[in-house]
Amino acid sequence: MNPGAHALDRQINDNEEGSVSENTTRELDVRVIPPREKHPTIFQTFLALAPGESFVLVNDHDPKPLRYQFEFQYPGQFGWEYLEQGPTVWRVRISRQGA
Amino acid sequence: MRLTLSSAAAPDASFDDLLAACTRRGFAAVELEAGHAHGVSPSVGLEAASAAAERAARAGIGIAALRLDDVASVTDPRTPRLAAALGAPVVVRIDGDVASTVRAAAPLFAEAGATLLLACSGDVDEIGRLRGWIEAAPTGALGLAWDVTPGDSQIRVPAAVLEAAAGHIRHIRLHGGGPETMGQEGLGVGRLMSALALSGYTGTLALAPSDPRFRYAWGAWLGRRGGWGCGSKTGSDTVVIESRVEER
Amino acid sequence: MNDEKRVVLDVRPVPPKDRFDMIMGAYEALEPGQVLDLLVDHDPECMYYTLKATQGDDAFDFEYLLRGPVDWRVEVRKLAPSPAEEAGAG
């Protein structure tokens, strides 16, 4: 995209690539989030993704209950991939799938 | 995004104790505030600084930043050289009229291959002003740091702060988290973390006590027993950071 | 003997990373008919889904006694043995 191109065109191109490139890792570190805000924040972040996008959840324990919650509330609409499984830090790539 | 422990959470801990605390609690990096017992400060020689960086790297812990309280020290050429030896940016709080100081510091940092991060509370007008300085300076010499407290007015609008900063924020200091997490409900922490994630923020996020009265709780949370290294001898493989004035 | 055994578990002071094992351990230790009275500082719906997935829909009742805004209290009544118990000797 040449620098002289109209700003709106640049923005359209950026959005086509995803306003955050998929090479950029979105990391949601929930270890500092208070208990009542934790799951709502995770689901809000998930719902802000476009299909095909993902974020990495970072936690101090295996987020199994969260996974069950995703399975019941968003069946078939999410991906769950462990990137790291302790002993101190867990990282899970949660992706948004489907329409 | 690298979760970072500030030495403000354990100001009387040695460098080794800080690294051990980071490992114990899963922090990826440490923020060193000059004047604390870790001993890293502008008066430390470059060799000792490199040794500290190496020791941290061996422990798998990054050095997120060296935080200085005296903004005038950024124009001392030793400061950017120290930053380069540590492999970490310097962070200084920007209060008052420091434009000429920062303007003088930028080429020194550029020459040393280091970065000076200007710390503010996230007011978007101030960020706009600082952006001007950053973009007028050699690329990479200057950047932004955001000091944020749960419940303050800027944590309520994290997307606006990040947008105003246009990618220049490399370091954030959050007053809380750790043992204070459970008491910070409803103060904007969740929304902040979500905004950071969605923006693709890849900088550091350092946790520091929100008030000195929480220091005991932080010490306990980090695994302090009685005192840091209380009653224990320093091991022979411990690097001692010597404070000395370097001849220029 | 028909006195209902009620295990009261307040996990509010417990660090989040230790809560799951504590809650599941307490639930698994219940006999059918017994109750886990759980006190927690957020909506424990994820525990509801966890029990559904690991114990089965019909294995338990899950009733809210308190729904925030600061504390939640749920009464989890075990109706059937845990799958692990069923698999073991009767």
Side-chain angles (χ1 to χ4, degrees):
Chain A
M1 197 85 237
N2 87 65
H6 193 278
L8 184 57
D9 293 322
R10 280 204 295 280
Q11 186 183 5
I12 289 168
N13 273 300
D14 284 344
N15 286 339
E16 280 175 346
E17 290 160 0
S19 47
V20 172
S21 144
E22 280 316 295
N23 290 326
T24 304
T25 298
R26 297 176 190 84
E27 277 204 6
L28 180 66
D29 198 319
V30 299
R31 294 175 286 178
V32 302
I33 303 180
R36 281 202 296 289
E37 296 176 26
K38 199 176 291 197
H39 283 208
T41 300
I42 293 167
F43 287 101
Q44 275 161 32
T45 306
F46 172 75
L47 292 172
L49 299 176
E53 293 182 332
S54 67
F55 69 94
V56 176
L57 183 85
V58 183
N59 203 7
D60 60 3
H61 61 281
D62 189 341
K64 276 187 297 209
L66 177 74
R67 183 181 193 166
Y68 291 129
Q69 190 169 353
F70 266 99
E71 281 175 2
F72 281 101
Q73 293 184 339
Y74 298 96
Q77 295 164 55
F78 76 103
W80 184 279
E81 182 195 353
Y82 283 98
L83 305 178
E84 190 174 344
Q85 289 181 268
T88 314
V89 181
W90 273 255
R91 286 189 153 78
V92 183
R93 181 178 295 281
I94 299 175
S95 45
R96 189 158 189 202
Q97 296 170 352
Chain B
M1 194 208 76
R2 293 188 297 157
L3 194 66
T4 297
L5 175 66
S6 175
S7 68
D12 53 349
S14 70
F15 190 72
D16 281 345
D17 283 333
L18 282 179
L19 296 182
C22 285
T23 301
R24 192 174 299 123
R25 282 290 179 179
F27 287 98
V30 63
E31 176 197 72
L32 302 171
E33 201 175 304
H36 292 163
H38 53 74
V40 180
S41 74
S43 60
V44 159
L46 296 183
E47 253 184 60
S50 298
E54 209 179 309
R55 189 163 186 80
R58 274 205 297 274
I61 306 296
I63 300 181
L66 175 67
R67 193 170 190 108
L68 306 180
D69 62 8
D70 178 14
V71 66
S73 64
V74 301
T75 53
D76 180 336
R78 287 178 297 178
T79 302
R81 282 187 232 137
L82 173 69
L86 282 176
V90 166
V91 172
V92 281
R93 185 83 196 165
I94 293 299
D95 291 314
D97 184 13
V98 296
S100 55
T101 303
V102 171
R103 203 165 27 242
L108 301 177
F109 276 79
E111 194 186 319
T115 302
L116 171 62
L117 300 180
L118 311 174
C120 65
S121 295
D123 174 81
V124 298
D125 293 332
E126 186 179 14
I127 286 180
R129 186 173 65 101
L130 297 177
R131 247 188 90 182
W133 301 359
I134 294 167
E135 288 164 8
T139 305
L142 299 180
L144 283 174
W146 180 13
D147 292 342
V148 57
T149 301
D152 74 12
S153 47
Q154 287 80 20
I155 201 175
R156 304 282 181 200
V157 288
V161 174
L162 293 169
E163 194 184 350
H168 290 303
I169 294 176
R170 303 292 165 80
H171 183 73
I172 297 172
R173 183 190 250 201
L174 177 68
H175 294 114
E180 299 185 43
T181 303
M182 304 218 279
Q184 291 185 319
E185 294 279 5
L187 297 179
V189 177
R191 194 192 297 114
L192 169 69
M193 300 311 292
S194 183
L196 291 178
L198 292 171
S199 74
Y201 177 69
T202 54
T204 41
L205 179 81
L207 305 184
S210 67
D211 189 281
R213 76 180 189 272
F214 293 125
R215 227 173 250 168
Y216 182 83
W218 278 89
W221 187 75
L222 293 170
R224 170 191 183 134
R225 308 236 184 292
W228 297 104
C230 183
S232 64
K233 287 178 66 167
T234 310
S236 59
D237 60 348
T238 301
V239 167
V240 176
I241 311 286
E242 291 175 13
S243 285
R244 66 174 191 272
V245 176
E246 198 177 8
E247 292 289 298
R248 290 178 53 203
Chain C
M1 279 186 286
N2 207 17
D3 45 341
E4 178 182 84
K5 179 175 163 194
R6 194 173 191 89
V7 173
V8 180
L9 184 61
D10 180 355
V11 294
R12 291 172 302 172
V14 178
K17 66 182 166 78
D18 300 326
R19 293 178 181 186
F20 177 74
D21 289 342
M22 192 172 286
I23 295 168
M24 291 309 293
Y27 179 82
E28 269 158 27
L30 296 176
E31 302 283 342
Q34 294 177 340
V35 166
L36 172 62
D37 188 331
L38 180 65
L39 197 47
V40 66
D41 50 16
H42 64 86
D43 189 336
E45 61 178 329
C46 55
M47 285 316 303
Y48 170 70
Y49 293 120
T50 299
L51 290 169
K52 263 173 80 90
T54 61
Q55 310 296 315
D57 280 352
D58 301 327
F60 66 102
D61 279 341
F62 191 96
E63 187 188 344
Y64 283 85
L65 302 179
L66 183 63
R67 277 188 186 267
V70 173
D71 297 310
W72 278 255
R73 189 161 172 206
V74 297
E75 191 178 81
V76 187
R77 183 181 307 275
K78 189 174 210 173
L79 303 176
S82 295
E85 287 167 2
E86 280 188 323

